[in-house]
Amino acid sequence: MECRTLDINIKRAYGLKNVNLFSTMDVYAVVSISGDPRGKSKQRTPVAKDSGSDPYWNYPMKFTIDEAAAQSNRLNLKIKFVSSRSLGDRKIGKVVVPIKRLLDESAKGDEGKSERTLTFSVRTLSGKEKGTVEFSYKFGEKYTVQAPPPPPPIMKSSEPVTAYPLGYPGSSSGYAAGGAHPPPAGTAYAYPPPQQGYGYPPPPQAGYGYGGYPPPQQGHGYAPYKPQRPQRSGMGGMALGAGAGLLGGLLIGDMISDVGDSMAYDADFGDGFDF
């Protein structure tokens, strides 16, 4: 890809349309190259304070253009004039110049080595000519730029994925071609069943449910259960009744104390406490 530099100096504009009602315009220019296959490039001048309709900048810029796109008249130089305002900037007008025209004008001189100055009319948003812009430009020597490689293709989710059966080259299974056969259909596991002696506990014996352990039987360390009849005693009944009454009184007292503490806690923080 052949490219070359383009040096532009936005010197001044005069006779621009006044888009401010009560204040003097502060004008700046936005310069861009459109139509470049590498993307649009853009630069801007400083704001000419209190310049009104005749701003002055004398501001240099540098762009890089594609030679083939310029020669085929696909590139344009755009200069837009804007009034800077605190309540929102407002457009004044613009100039559009084909880069091919600048190349042809430059070729009329000493093979484009010297700087040339041109003036163009500014068109308002309604398309009327109002004002003039003056700028100078100069093209640099052509040079070759290696185009970046294209990005790798992205596989779509709808594209089929190649799968191999078990036992064939390229398969991810653990069976080699011509070797051991895959497990028969209906098998619920993909690996050989665990065997005793390799860190696995022995399987539970059948007939003992889910626990895996037989129920206790008499004669194997468990004593048979024999219910005993409680003995009656008059003194014991009285003691038990007195103890129950004492315990109930203590519980009721604790409950009354807890209720009192809770009411005091609510009274300190008031209703609607934000947690």
Side-chain angles (χ1 to χ4, degrees):
M1 177 186 295
E2 286 190 340
C3 298
R4 67 167 66 196
T5 59
L6 173 59
D7 295 313
I8 300 178
N9 190 325
I10 306 298
K11 294 185 176 181
R12 56 172 298 185
Y14 45 90
L16 297 178
K17 179 182 179 179
N18 187 1
V19 296
N20 289 11
L21 297 178
F22 305 105
S23 61
T24 305
M25 290 193 303
D26 301 330
V27 185
Y28 65 90
V30 180
V31 185
S32 61
I33 304 293
S34 63
D36 198 306
R38 298 167 301 168
K40 187 177 181 180
S41 55
K42 183 185 299 185
Q43 300 182 42
R44 57 172 289 178
T45 66
V47 178
K49 293 289 186 180
D50 298 328
S51 58
S53 300
D54 304 317
Y56 178 83
W57 300 286
N58 196 29
Y59 188 76
M61 301 178 181
K62 182 183 290 291
F63 296 90
T64 301
I65 64 172
D66 180 83
E67 180 67 14
Q71 293 293 346
S72 59
N73 199 22
R74 289 183 287 145
L75 302 184
N76 290 317
L77 171 68
K78 295 183 179 181
I79 307 175
K80 298 181 180 180
F81 303 96
V82 185
S83 174
S84 177
R85 306 191 306 178
S86 58
L87 298 180
D89 297 351
R90 188 170 182 180
K91 298 178 182 179
I92 301 174
K94 66 179 180 179
V95 173
V96 180
V97 183
I99 298 294
K100 182 66 166 56
R101 179 175 178 180
L102 299 181
L103 285 172
D104 296 341
E105 290 289 338
S106 179
K108 295 178 182 180
D110 50 353
E111 299 181 356
K113 294 182 180 180
S114 61
E115 185 179 73
R116 299 181 64 85
T117 301
L118 298 176
T119 57
F120 288 90
S121 298
V122 179
R123 292 186 178 274
T124 63
L125 299 180
S126 61
K128 297 180 180 181
E129 293 185 358
K130 179 64 177 177
T132 308
V133 61
E134 178 183 339
F135 66 90
S136 61
Y137 72 96
K138 178 182 178 181
F139 287 100
E141 298 293 334
K142 293 186 292 185
Y143 61 93
T144 303
V145 177
Q146 185 177 1
I154 301 176
M155 180 178 294
K156 299 180 180 179
S157 58
S158 58
E159 295 183 2
V161 180
T162 304
Y164 299 92
L166 296 175
Y168 286 86
S171 171
S172 59
S173 66
Y175 300 98
H181 296 285
T187 305
Y189 54 84
Y191 296 94
Q195 301 179 4
Q196 296 186 13
Y198 291 90
Y200 296 93
Q205 299 180 6
Y208 296 106
Y210 296 97
Y213 296 96
Q217 301 178 4
Q218 296 185 7
H220 291 81
Y222 298 92
Y225 175 76
K226 294 183 179 181
Q228 297 181 3
R229 181 177 297 176
Q231 299 179 359
R232 297 182 178 179
S233 175
M235 295 298 294
M238 295 178 60
L240 180 61
L246 179 59
L247 179 60
L250 293 176
L251 292 176
I252 294 174
D254 290 340
M255 292 173 61
I256 295 174
S257 178
D258 292 340
V259 172
D261 293 341
S262 177
M263 294 178 61
Y265 183 87
D266 295 337
D268 291 339
F269 290 95
D271 296 334
F273 178 70
D274 187 9
F275 288 92

